[in-house]
Amino acid sequence: MSLLSTIVSQVINGLQSGSIYALVALGYSMVYGIILLLNFAHGDIIMVGAYAAWMCMVNFHLHPVASILVAVLASTLLGVIIEKVAYTPLRSAPRLSLLITAIGVSFLLENGAQLIFGAGAKDMSEPMALFTTGPSITLGSSTLSFPAILTIVVSLIAMAALTFLVQKTKLGKAMRAVSEDMGAAQLMGISLNATISFTFMLGSALAGIGAILYLCAYPQVSPTMGSMLGLKAFVAAVLGGIGSIPGAMVGGFVIGLAEALVSAVGLSVWKDGVVFAILIVVLLVKPSGLLGRSTTEKV
């Protein structure tokens, strides 16, 4: 394989994984933009969605499309439940309390899944065959596989739909108002509880979609599958500018491409390290991220 073909193949891989990171990073950014919470349980919502899909396909023998709908619904409901049970009572507490709670919820979900389903990975190759086999596109000597096409297309549609919702709908305007000034938004008649719950619901639904797309690329489910995926999506959100929806998209694609290019030069064992090196560089050079806004704090 020529150097050009290798680069094209790795760019395709980077766009596929970057699409997933971008979807998950959107959940981080939306929640942070509303209540300034780094929801480290977000990656484990992906894991729960993946297990829901596995149970529906393998145990209950539902059609894959119906299983996907159940998985997205399970992720959405879990996100809302976590917000109501774990975060709402602490809304007026110090931000550190919310952060510690988010980490605790993450460990609870991981260990709960391990207790229920066991520590071993569940193979999803056969159940996901409908989404991993299909027409491909040939680009010279490189091939754009069906899972890659599906992942990129679905991610772009989801991002476009989210952008439209936030920019053009009444709920989206409420989200932007709460993000800008929570007190003023409440005085204008906007329901904080409804807006925050809707934001969690939307972010968790995107996590559910991300879980299915992740299974298309890596068809196995394990209790810890959301940990590294969630951390990389967090890095993508910080890189793009946490709280910025376009920034989350850009950050996701940049992280995916960075991983792919590191693998292309034969340093695949270092790709996780490169991701976190990017985080350190961003925090040192431009803490607000590529598309984030610099804020000043009066003391």
Side-chain angles (χ1 to χ4, degrees):
M1 185 181 287
S2 66
L3 177 61
L4 179 61
S5 299
T6 302
I7 293 174
V8 171
S9 298
Q10 292 299 330
V11 166
I12 291 170
N13 293 336
L15 290 174
Q16 182 179 5
S17 57
S19 298
I20 300 171
Y21 296 149
L23 275 181
V24 182
L26 284 170
Y28 273 110
S29 281
M30 286 192 299
V31 170
Y32 184 84
I34 293 286
I35 59 172
L36 300 179
L37 166 66
L38 295 174
N39 183 20
F40 283 115
H42 194 65
D44 297 291
I45 293 175
I46 297 169
M47 175 268 295
V48 171
Y51 268 113
W54 172 76
M55 287 186 66
C56 289
M57 292 182 189
V58 176
N59 291 0
F60 303 132
H61 306 290
L62 294 183
H63 190 275
V65 175
S67 300
I68 287 173
L69 294 176
V70 172
V72 174
L73 181 61
S75 298
T76 304
L77 289 175
L78 179 63
V80 174
I81 291 170
I82 290 172
E83 188 268 329
K84 290 296 183 187
V85 174
Y87 300 148
T88 299
L90 297 173
R91 195 170 292 166
S92 58
R95 206 179 302 173
L96 183 61
S97 300
L98 279 167
L99 180 62
I100 294 170
T101 302
I103 295 171
V105 171
S106 173
F107 283 125
L108 175 66
L109 292 175
E110 285 183 22
N111 287 279
Q114 187 170 338
L115 181 66
I116 296 170
F117 301 107
K122 310 294 184 184
D123 183 43
M124 290 283 286
S125 300
E126 189 175 341
M128 294 298 295
L130 177 65
F131 306 102
T132 55
T133 56
S136 58
I137 298 175
T138 302
L139 302 171
S141 57
S142 302
T143 301
L144 185 60
S145 65
F146 181 70
I149 297 170
L150 184 66
T151 300
I152 294 168
V153 169
V154 170
S155 297
L156 290 176
I157 291 173
M159 293 172 197
L162 176 66
T163 302
F164 176 81
L165 186 148
V166 171
Q167 296 295 330
K168 302 296 183 181
T169 67
K170 188 175 180 180
L171 279 170
K173 290 177 182 177
M175 289 169 62
R176 285 186 284 133
V178 173
S179 174
E180 200 68 38
D181 191 323
M182 190 176 290
Q186 196 169 17
L187 289 173
M188 296 302 292
I190 294 173
S191 171
L192 291 184
N193 288 332
T195 304
I196 292 171
S197 294
F198 179 74
T199 304
F200 269 87
M201 182 182 73
L202 200 58
S204 300
L206 290 174
I209 296 171
I212 300 302
L213 297 178
Y214 185 83
L215 290 176
C216 289
Y218 311 100
Q220 63 176 17
V221 188
S222 69
T224 57
M225 63 175 285
S227 298
M228 186 57 70
L229 176 57
L231 286 174
K232 289 181 180 179
F234 168 68
V235 174
V238 173
L239 172 61
I242 194 159
S244 166
I245 290 176
M249 300 179 195
V250 171
F253 285 116
V254 170
I255 292 298
L257 289 171
E259 279 190 336
L261 293 177
V262 168
S263 299
V265 297
L267 297 174
S268 57
V269 294
W270 289 96
K271 66 179 184 179
D272 292 344
V274 167
V275 171
F276 296 107
I278 290 174
L279 175 62
I280 294 170
V281 171
V282 170
L283 292 176
L284 289 174
V285 176
K286 199 174 189 298
S288 59
L290 297 175
L291 301 179
R293 293 180 299 176
S294 298
T295 56
T296 56
E297 222 176 286
K298 292 183 179 180
V299 294

